[in-house]
């Protein structure tokens, strides 16, 4: 239950981050799945290609780290860790790193 | 990772933001489109059941809903008993009705106090309501607890009860166990009557909807487990003929199925429908409460469903007490089931708290389920809820999006506790298009390209054009391309394509070629497109629109018609295979022509 709504939120966030960084296409997305999350790596993979249709992440690969730590404060959640743009970075070789604070409001 | 590659670190905890969204398209003062989208993907329960023993059906299907598991157990058990030619009567029949009463009380109390009442009192949720009106929320919780206790004693536990089986129960309660419930139920009955007075005092928007109500009707009791299907439009048929008159359809934008009365459209199940068709079957205290609350014998104001729901809580408690009074434990908790039987099948409907729940099974001679079909009340009401929203939006055009969102969420909560829970997070997407002046072609210059899909929704191959546009619309969201879909309407076509750089029309054609043949026609000079009256309104179709557009100088600069040859046009049937393949082909070719994002995966 609820995987579709969660995936939509993830894709929305990927789009938002991509826009902010002027990324046109996303090559790879990395997720962290808490030990107590109601979703599994399998569920996420199975739905990723559908959930990203029409978005900057359409056709992107998915990397999933499944945590086993039930005491992690975010053990019940799924975390969008990072995304990799498709076009090669034509810069100094020092990729920018942006860290955003997780939202304060609780997940439902 | 290559060294030229960068990674953007995000660290964002994903949230379940909501299970539904509402898309509204307004053109000036007209509501063009209302789509209630439910994201929750299919759960394939009907497929799970195949190959399982029929004895498992009540427990498997109960898992479909955490609020109304008893409904699933009742519909499945009755359908299977009918298939086996077994009747469950006497005390076992009463016990089932008592159990159902428990679920009605539990579900309705949740809906009334925790989901619906805050709307009328100006609170965003029950937690905030509880701060100012703690007594009201306490009443809700007391009712819910009484319902829970009934479920616990009869069903073995409050949620997903485990004591129901095909043929009856695993264990029947003793007389003393039921008697022990009496004081709490009597007190709950008084709280329920207080609830009717409480909800009747709310301010209700003055709205009446022209519903087709559909519910069960029983010769002498308010319907729960038995009856025939009746509707306010004159339908009257045995429950096993339900599928002859009603059918489920898949809307391309929603993962939840919608139901329609074939050839008629949407209909409503649930408390308003049950009450309208059975108000003469209310027992004395429920009837008195309804009258004192000022309810008419038929209520068409969806907001007043909260009062009707409260009356049904009175009824359920009154019924439970009446049946407990006459209870004598049965000799056995279950009637004997035949050890062997030929391949068989049957359907049954019961009244879940939120409306009719249909189950149909086909069994092999070894007792394994070959086919299962389940039509839930939520899907039956989906289309009708869209109609409510369409009317609401039409009356509230000048509201801002926030006010409109709140109003739409309220309208959904009138009908369903599940979507209503989800729609506390309804995402509203309003597309406001300035109205064409009807005179100035300049009005449309903002979007140079218009793609029109002509056709009719539920007429087989005739919906080809609509299918193409629906997929393209999603793919080109946020771009300069505009879309229009529906039956050909001369006035609307002229209004929309006049003055555009380019208009592409996708339509079904019939020219004698094999079904699925695609023809592309540039409309130049005096040539008229092929006529095909299938999707026009009042006999004025695309050809007439072109002719008239030329006469009035209201044409796009370039007009291209993509014709898809149709096979059969049968009302209510899906498009045929060749036409579906042509739809995909045309969609891809148009996507390339419009210069949109390329896609590898097929859209479902």
């Amino acid at each position: 239950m609820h995987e579709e709504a969660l995936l939509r939120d993830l894709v929305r966030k990927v789009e938002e981050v991509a826009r902010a960084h002027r990324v046109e296409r996303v090559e790879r997305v990395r997720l962290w799945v808490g030990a107590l999350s109601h979703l599994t790596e399998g569920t996420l993979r199975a739905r990723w290609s559908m959930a990203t249709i029409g978005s900057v992440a359409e056709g992107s690969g998915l990397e999933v780290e499944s945590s086993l730590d039930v005491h992690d404060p975010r053990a019940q959640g799924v975390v969008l860790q990072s995304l990799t743009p498709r076009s090669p970075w034509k810069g100094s070789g020092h990729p920018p790193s942006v860290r955003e604070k997780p939202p304060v409001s609780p997940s439902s | 990772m290559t060294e030229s590659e960068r990674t953007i670190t995000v660290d964002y905890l994903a949230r379940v933001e909501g299970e539904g969204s509402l898309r509204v398209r307004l053109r000036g003062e007209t509501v063009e489109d209302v789509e209630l989208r439910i994201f929750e993907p299919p759960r394939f329960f009907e497929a799970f059941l195949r190959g399982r023993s029929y004895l498992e059906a009540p427990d498997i299907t109960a898992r479909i809903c955490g609020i109304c598991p008893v409904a699933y157990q009742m519909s499945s058990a009755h359908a299977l008993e009918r298939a086996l030619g077994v009747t469950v009567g006497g005390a076992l029949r009463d016990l089932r009705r008592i159990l159902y009463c428990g679920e009605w009380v539990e579900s309705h109390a949740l809906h009334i106090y925790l989901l619906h009442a805050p709307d009328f009192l100006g609170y965003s949720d029950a937690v905030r309501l509880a701060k100012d009106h703690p007594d009201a929320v306490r009443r809700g919780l007391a009712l819910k607890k009484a319902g829970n206790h009934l479920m616990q004693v009869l069903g073995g536990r409050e949620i997903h009860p485990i004591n129901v089986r095909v043929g009856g129960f695993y264990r029947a309660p003793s007389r003393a166990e039921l008697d022990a419930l009496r004081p709490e139920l009597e007190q709950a009955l008084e709280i329920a009557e207080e609830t009717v007075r409480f909800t009747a005092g709310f301010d209700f928007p003055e709205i009446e909807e022209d519903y087709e109500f559909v519910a069960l009707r029983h010769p002498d009791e308010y319907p729960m487990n038995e009856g025939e299907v009746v509707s306010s439009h004159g339908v009257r048929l045995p429950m096993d003929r339900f599928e002859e008159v009603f059918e489920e359809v898949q809307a391309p934008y929603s993962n939840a199925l919608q139901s329609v009365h074939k050839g008629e459209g949407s209909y409503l199940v649930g408390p308003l429908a049950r009450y309208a068709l059975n108000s003469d079957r209310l027992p004395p205290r429920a009837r008195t409460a309804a009258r004192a609350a000022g309810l008419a014998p038929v209520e068409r104001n969806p907001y007043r469903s909260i009062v009707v729901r409260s009356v049904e809580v009175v009824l359920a408690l009154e019924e439970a007490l009446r049946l407990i009074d006459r209870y004598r434990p049965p000799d056995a908790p279950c009637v004997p089931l035949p050890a062997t039987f030929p391949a068989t099948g049957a359907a049954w409907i019961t009244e879940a708290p939120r409306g009719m729940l249909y189950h149909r099974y086909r069994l092999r001679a070894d007792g394994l389920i070959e086919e299962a079909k389940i039509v839930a009340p939520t899907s039956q009401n989906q289309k009708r809820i869209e109609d409510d929203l369409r009317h609401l939006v039409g009356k509230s055009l000048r509201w801002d999006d926030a006010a409109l969102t709140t109003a739409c969420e309220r309208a959904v909560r009138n009908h369903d506790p599940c979507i209503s829970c989800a729609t506390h997070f309804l995402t509203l997407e309003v597309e406001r298009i300035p109205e064409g002046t009807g005179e100035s072609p300049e009005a449309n210059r903002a979007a140079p390209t218009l793609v029109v899909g002509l056709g009719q929704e539920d007429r087989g191959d005739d919906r080809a054009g609509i299918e193409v546009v629906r997929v393209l619309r999603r793919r080109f969201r946020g771009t300069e391309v505009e879309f229009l879909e529906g039956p050909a309407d001369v006035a609307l076509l002229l209004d929309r394509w006049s003055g555009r750089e380019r208009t592409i029309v996708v339509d079904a054609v019939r020219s004698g070629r094999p079904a699925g043949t695609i023809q592309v026609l540039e409309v130049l000079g005096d040539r008229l497109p092929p006529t095909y009256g299938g999707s026009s309104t009042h006999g004025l179709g695309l050809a007439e629109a072109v002719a008239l557009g030329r006469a009035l100088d209201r044409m796009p600069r370039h007009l291209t018609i993509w014709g898809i040859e149709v096979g059969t046009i049968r009302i209510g049937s899906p498009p045929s295979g060749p036409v579906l393949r042509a739809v995909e082909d045309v969609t891809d070719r148009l996507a390339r022509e419009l210069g949109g994002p390329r896609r590898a995966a097929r859209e479902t």
Side-chain angles (χ1 to χ4, degrees):
Chain A
M1 291 288 287
H2 310 303
E3 66 266 31
E4 206 66 25
L6 192 113
L7 277 161
R8 289 175 71 94
D9 185 50
L10 279 173
V11 173
R12 186 193 57 73
K13 185 69 185 178
V14 167
E15 294 247 85
E16 190 184 307
V17 173
R19 213 169 24 248
H21 292 268
R22 301 208 169 88
V23 169
E24 278 173 19
R25 304 287 289 168
V26 172
E27 177 75 34
R28 266 201 320 280
V29 171
R30 192 172 165 77
L31 302 180
W32 177 93
V33 182
L36 302 178
S37 164
H38 70 293
L39 295 180
T40 62
E41 177 177 349
T43 321
L44 290 163
R45 284 197 185 286
R47 303 205 69 83
W48 185 249
S49 62
M50 282 291 289
T52 52
I53 286 175
S55 78
V56 292
E58 183 172 325
S60 64
L62 192 62
E63 285 176 20
V64 181
E65 179 188 342
S66 297
S67 160
L68 294 173
D69 180 7
V70 295
H71 301 295
D72 188 291
R74 300 202 275 191
Q76 290 191 45
V78 174
V79 175
L80 170 63
Q81 287 190 315
S82 67
L83 51 91
T84 308
R86 178 165 292 178
S87 52
W89 172 244
K90 298 187 184 76
S92 61
H94 297 287
S97 181
V98 182
R99 184 163 286 270
E100 293 184 26
K101 284 199 169 142
V104 199
S105 51
S107 68
S108 57
Chain B
M1 189 189 270
T2 61
E3 62 175 352
S4 65
E5 202 173 67
R6 66 169 168 159
T7 295
I8 301 169
T9 307
V10 184
D11 194 35
Y12 166 78
L13 183 65
R15 290 178 290 178
V16 176
E17 285 286 355
E19 309 281 0
S21 78
L22 179 68
R23 191 173 158 286
V24 174
R25 197 146 43 90
L26 305 174
R27 169 164 307 274
E29 303 281 291
T30 316
V31 183
E32 279 193 347
D33 231 348
V34 169
E35 294 179 349
L36 180 61
R37 300 163 174 203
I38 304 295
F39 311 141
E40 182 64 34
R43 292 192 286 155
F44 304 112
F45 268 89
E46 290 165 338
F48 289 159
L49 287 160
R50 281 182 221 140
R52 306 298 294 243
S53 159
Y54 78 93
L55 290 168
E56 291 184 283
D59 287 322
I60 292 177
T61 58
R63 292 292 167 155
I64 290 173
C65 182
I67 296 180
C68 60
V70 170
Y72 286 87
Q73 296 185 325
M74 289 300 119
S75 285
S76 58
H78 280 91
L80 291 162
E81 284 152 14
R82 187 191 178 101
L84 302 181
V86 170
T87 316
V88 176
L92 290 174
R93 180 186 187 276
D94 282 359
L95 283 176
R96 285 178 162 179
R97 193 166 164 89
I98 301 173
L99 178 63
Y100 226 152
C101 287
E103 178 161 287
W104 278 32
V105 172
E106 200 187 358
S107 170
H108 279 356
L110 172 82
H111 194 166
I112 294 165
Y113 279 100
L114 302 184
L115 297 168
H116 211 183
D119 282 343
F120 293 94
L121 298 167
Y123 296 90
S124 59
D125 58 49
V127 176
R128 291 185 179 88
L129 174 69
K131 288 196 177 111
D132 295 347
H133 300 272
D135 289 346
V137 177
R138 258 183 229 124
R139 282 200 301 272
L141 294 176
L143 283 177
K144 192 156 181 342
K145 204 166 144 194
N148 282 359
H149 277 162
L150 274 174
M151 300 264 284
Q152 196 175 24
V153 170
L154 279 87
R157 61 186 182 196
E158 297 95 330
I159 297 171
H160 295 312
I162 44 170
N163 191 29
V164 173
R165 56 166 299 170
V166 181
F169 293 86
Y170 289 101
R171 176 185 172 276
S174 68
R175 169 90 217 176
E177 278 174 285
L178 291 191
D179 277 339
L181 289 168
R182 293 199 56 111
E184 186 180 13
L185 295 177
E186 274 157 12
Q187 203 193 349
L189 181 52
E190 278 169 31
I191 296 173
E193 286 167 332
E194 170 62 25
T195 302
V196 177
R197 290 191 287 274
F198 172 62
T199 55
F202 293 161
D203 280 335
F204 297 100
E206 286 301 321
I207 288 176
E208 296 232 316
E209 291 283 347
D210 185 21
Y211 294 117
E212 178 178 9
F213 292 127
V214 184
L216 292 185
R217 183 163 165 86
H218 185 272
D220 42 50
E221 60 189 19
Y222 202 81
M224 282 189 183
N225 277 320
E226 294 164 19
E228 58 182 359
V229 178
V230 296
S231 101
S232 55
H233 287 192
V235 172
R236 186 172 171 190
L237 75 168
M239 46 173 80
D240 54 0
R241 287 178 52 206
F242 174 79
E243 286 178 72
E244 290 172 25
V245 177
F246 303 96
E247 69 175 338
E248 283 186 307
V249 291
Q250 171 85 62
Y253 48 82
S254 178
N255 283 339
L257 290 170
Q258 303 184 333
S259 290
V260 291
H261 178 177
K262 291 182 194 173
E264 298 253 339
S266 68
Y267 62 96
L268 189 79
V269 299
L272 278 183
R274 255 186 325 248
Y275 172 79
L277 297 162
N278 295 283
S279 52
D280 57 340
R281 298 278 188 269
L282 287 172
R285 285 178 76 163
R287 183 183 299 234
T288 307
R291 201 170 296 150
L295 286 182
V298 175
E299 276 294 341
R300 298 188 178 276
N301 181 339
Y303 295 89
R304 282 189 190 273
S305 67
I306 193 170
V307 187
V308 174
R309 213 168 269 116
S310 306
V311 168
E312 286 196 338
V313 177
V314 174
L315 162 132
L317 289 160
E318 198 179 354
E319 276 291 273
L321 282 163
R322 176 180 73 89
L323 296 171
I324 287 173
D325 260 353
R326 73 178 192 193
Y327 179 66
R328 298 287 175 272
D331 298 331
C334 178
V335 300
L337 300 173
T340 58
F341 47 86
T344 179
W348 199 271
I349 296 173
T350 70
E351 285 283 354
R354 79 196 69 168
M356 295 197 311
L357 170 62
Y358 175 85
H359 281 224
R360 176 171 56 77
Y361 297 91
R362 207 168 65 224
L363 300 186
R364 303 193 323 204
D366 59 5
L368 298 189
I369 296 169
E370 196 166 42
E371 191 197 354
K373 169 138 180 114
I374 296 170
V375 184
T378 299
S379 74
Q380 295 182 72
N381 280 342
Q382 205 92 246
K383 200 161 180 60
R384 183 53 243 188
I385 292 174
E386 266 184 8
D387 288 346
D388 274 20
L389 292 169
R390 185 173 294 118
H391 299 160
L392 171 69
V393 171
K395 286 177 192 151
S396 323
L397 292 169
R398 304 192 185 286
W399 298 7
D400 64 23
D401 288 359
L404 202 52
T405 303
T406 308
C408 288
E409 286 177 357
R410 279 192 66 176
V412 175
R413 280 196 285 275
N414 283 334
H415 295 300
D416 197 288
C418 275
I419 318 177
S420 58
C421 184
T423 51
H424 265 294
F425 313 97
L426 185 70
T427 316
L428 180 71
E429 195 186 308
V430 184
E431 191 184 337
R432 290 175 195 268
I433 307 166
E435 195 164 24
T437 59
E439 297 299 325
S440 150
E442 278 75 20
N444 281 330
R445 287 240 169 101
T449 305
L450 172 73
V451 183
V452 183
L454 295 182
Q456 285 191 45
E457 190 88 69
D458 39 18
R459 288 176 40 123
D461 286 356
D462 193 21
R463 62 175 291 164
I466 294 182
E467 289 286 337
V468 170
V469 161
R470 291 214 170 136
V471 177
L472 289 174
R473 189 199 289 281
R474 264 185 292 171
R475 238 187 266 179
F476 286 84
R477 184 180 298 161
T479 68
E480 281 278 67
V481 185
E482 259 189 41
F483 296 93
L484 175 69
E485 66 195 49
D489 179 280
V490 170
L492 184 64
L493 283 174
L494 291 193
D495 191 43
R496 296 295 300 276
W497 73 28
S498 166
R500 303 239 187 204
E501 181 58 32
R502 177 164 66 150
T503 293
I504 297 165
V505 177
V506 187
D507 194 9
V509 294
R510 200 195 286 279
S511 65
R513 292 180 174 81
T517 306
I518 298 166
Q519 300 175 65
V520 185
L521 176 76
E522 292 288 336
V523 180
L524 300 166
D526 289 324
R527 279 183 68 190
L528 287 181
T531 50
Y532 168 65
S535 64
S536 69
T537 54
H538 310 113
L540 292 172
L542 185 54
E544 287 79 1
V546 172
L548 199 59
R550 284 189 180 128
L552 300 173
D553 194 22
R554 302 195 56 200
M555 288 293 286
R557 280 193 58 192
H558 300 283
L559 175 62
T560 317
I561 317 274
W562 290 63
I564 298 176
E565 186 78 20
V566 297
T568 49
I569 302 286
R570 273 203 19 243
I571 293 180
S573 68
S576 63
V579 167
L580 279 178
R581 281 189 289 281
V583 162
E584 276 186 35
D585 192 1
V586 170
T587 307
D588 286 344
R589 286 164 66 184
L590 280 178
R592 278 199 295 277
E593 192 166 319
L594 295 167
R598 290 203 304 130
R599 283 171 347 105
R602 266 180 54 175
E603 206 114 6
T604 56

